[in-house]
Amino acid sequence: MLLNIILIIIGFILLIKGADFLVDGASEIAKKFHIPEIVIGLTIVAIGTSMPELVVSVTSAIEGHSDLAIGNVVGSNIANMFLILGACAIIKPLIFKKETRLFEIPFTIFSTVMLFFLCINGTNNQINTITKEEGLILLTFCILFIIYNLIMAKKGEEFEKEEKIIEIRTNEEKISPVWESIFGIIIGIIGLKLGGDIVVDNSVEIAKILGISEKLISLTIVAFSTSLPELITSIAATRKGETDMAIGNILGSQIFNILLIIGVSASLAPIAYSKSYDSNIILLIIGTIALGLFPFTGKKNEMTRCNGLIFVLTYIIYLVSIVCFA
């Protein structure tokens, strides 16, 4: 078990350094091409940090472990929403842009509700099953979301001007070459992927040694561990003042976890859904709706430290309930 602990530490080091490379590279590209950081966070960073969930869920679906495929995505999204977003808000209050308030958060709610509907609908032998056709529907919405982000990237300068957040940069500021930034993003994603795998594999081994059930492992350790890239990346972005990228990373990961990962997994093999996940998805829907209300309550357009604390406490209560009733 000592070896597993050492490997977990190495995994965390890879996650931290990978997050630094990813955030710095993505930020440089945003500056170079005047692309809003929220768009970079919603696409490049979000897809990169969703790699662990993609690998776990696709592999689980192909091998017939439907519970793990669904549980990994739902559990990871709950961790993203309550733990990671909450932690970022505690570090630094998060300011929501107009597009985030009016489109990205509502689209996240829509994606989560659609997942719930696809899980519980069906007829005859396909009740509570996400079919291959439904997987293709999810992938279609994923493509539409990517197109939206490409349009937003094209309108980058106007987007920043409308929100009055254009950052004045002096001529002396050095912006890295594009190839260097892209290389940093690739190295960051590789570091996150390797670090995530090492942490997941060795966490599961320790859990087995301690006699923890497979179900409990999938709902807690696997879901949390595959969210580590989002956690490390978002916190790193927040600490560097790149809060837009942190918000985009979390919301983008939420959306891609549902539309891309479940979409690909279901397209390869139908995913049987267990009703035991109903309460988890409902909690996720409630959390996303609450996030959508924060900009219109309390401090305008802001998720405060108090809001973040509530989210983190909710996640802790959620984990305790799983451990007690699993």
Side-chain angles (χ1 to χ4, degrees):
M1 192 165 76
L2 178 61
L3 177 61
N4 297 121
I5 294 174
I6 294 173
L7 288 173
I8 287 175
I9 294 173
I10 293 173
F12 271 114
I13 293 173
L14 286 172
L15 283 168
I16 293 169
K17 296 309 296 180
D20 281 338
F21 276 109
L22 182 58
V23 170
D24 290 342
S27 180
E28 288 298 318
I29 286 180
K31 294 173 185 176
K32 180 78 175 178
F33 295 101
H34 306 289
I35 301 173
E37 288 170 358
I38 186 75
V39 174
I40 294 291
L42 284 164
T43 52
I44 298 174
V45 179
I47 292 175
T49 56
S50 289
M51 286 297 292
E53 287 94 336
L54 179 62
V55 173
V56 170
S57 291
V58 169
T59 303
S60 300
I62 292 174
E63 294 179 355
H65 301 296
S66 296
D67 273 354
L68 186 55
I70 289 285
N72 173 45
V73 166
V74 174
S76 293
N77 276 13
I78 289 175
N80 288 345
M81 177 63 60
F82 291 100
L83 174 64
I84 302 175
L85 196 65
C88 289
I90 291 173
I91 293 172
K92 187 173 185 178
L94 304 177
I95 307 298
F96 295 103
K97 289 185 175 181
K98 180 181 177 181
E99 281 72 12
T100 302
R101 301 192 305 268
L102 300 182
F103 177 80
E104 284 133 22
I105 293 177
F107 191 75
T108 305
I109 298 171
F110 166 76
S111 301
T112 308
V113 172
M114 180 169 60
L115 172 64
F116 190 40
F117 174 76
L118 294 180
C119 287
I120 63 176
N121 80 330
T123 56
N124 300 328
N125 63 331
Q126 291 188 327
I127 294 177
N128 300 331
T129 300
I130 303 177
T131 64
K132 290 185 177 182
E133 293 75 17
E134 290 170 337
L136 293 175
I137 292 174
L138 291 173
L139 289 176
T140 300
F141 277 103
C142 181
I143 293 171
L144 292 175
F145 179 69
I146 292 174
I147 292 173
Y148 158 79
N149 279 285
L150 292 176
I151 294 173
M152 292 307 301
K154 210 167 185 181
K155 293 181 177 180
E157 291 181 356
E158 292 81 2
F159 183 28
E160 290 187 345
K161 188 178 295 183
E162 180 184 345
E163 291 296 319
K164 299 179 181 179
I165 60 161
I166 294 178
E167 182 180 354
I168 299 175
R169 299 182 176 91
T170 62
N171 293 329
E172 291 77 17
E173 182 181 8
K174 179 182 177 182
I175 297 179
S176 303
V178 175
W179 70 266
E180 189 176 314
S181 300
I182 294 175
F183 181 72
I185 289 173
I186 294 172
I187 291 297
I189 291 174
I190 292 173
L192 289 169
K193 176 65 173 65
L194 291 176
D197 285 347
I198 291 172
V199 172
V200 170
D201 293 343
N202 288 279
S203 295
V204 170
E205 284 299 316
I206 290 177
K208 289 180 178 178
I209 291 172
L210 297 177
I212 301 174
S213 69
E214 290 286 341
K215 180 180 179 181
L216 188 57
I217 291 173
S218 66
L219 287 171
T220 54
I221 297 175
V222 175
F224 174 77
S225 297
T226 54
S227 290
L228 283 175
E230 287 92 339
L231 175 64
I232 303 299
T233 302
S234 296
I235 288 178
T238 302
R239 290 174 64 87
K240 293 176 186 232
E242 313 283 2
T243 54
D244 279 343
M245 192 177 296
I247 295 170
N249 175 34
I250 295 166
L251 293 180
S253 293
Q254 297 280 93
I255 293 168
F256 282 118
N257 282 354
I258 293 172
L259 302 182
L260 178 62
I261 296 176
I262 294 295
V264 170
S265 301
S267 298
L268 294 174
I271 301 176
Y273 173 74
S274 170
K275 296 288 288 181
S276 62
Y277 288 107
D278 282 359
S279 58
N280 296 271
I281 299 183
I282 291 172
L283 174 63
L284 187 57
I285 293 172
I286 293 172
T288 313
I289 292 174
L291 177 65
L293 294 176
F294 287 154
F296 305 100
T297 58
K299 289 189 177 181
K300 189 176 180 181
N301 304 332
E302 182 176 315
M303 181 175 180
T304 65
R305 285 189 170 92
C306 181
N307 297 146
L309 182 60
I310 292 172
F311 264 35
V312 172
L313 290 175
T314 300
Y315 185 72
I316 293 173
I317 294 171
Y318 165 76
L319 281 184
V320 171
S321 68
I322 287 178
V323 173
C324 293
F325 299 105

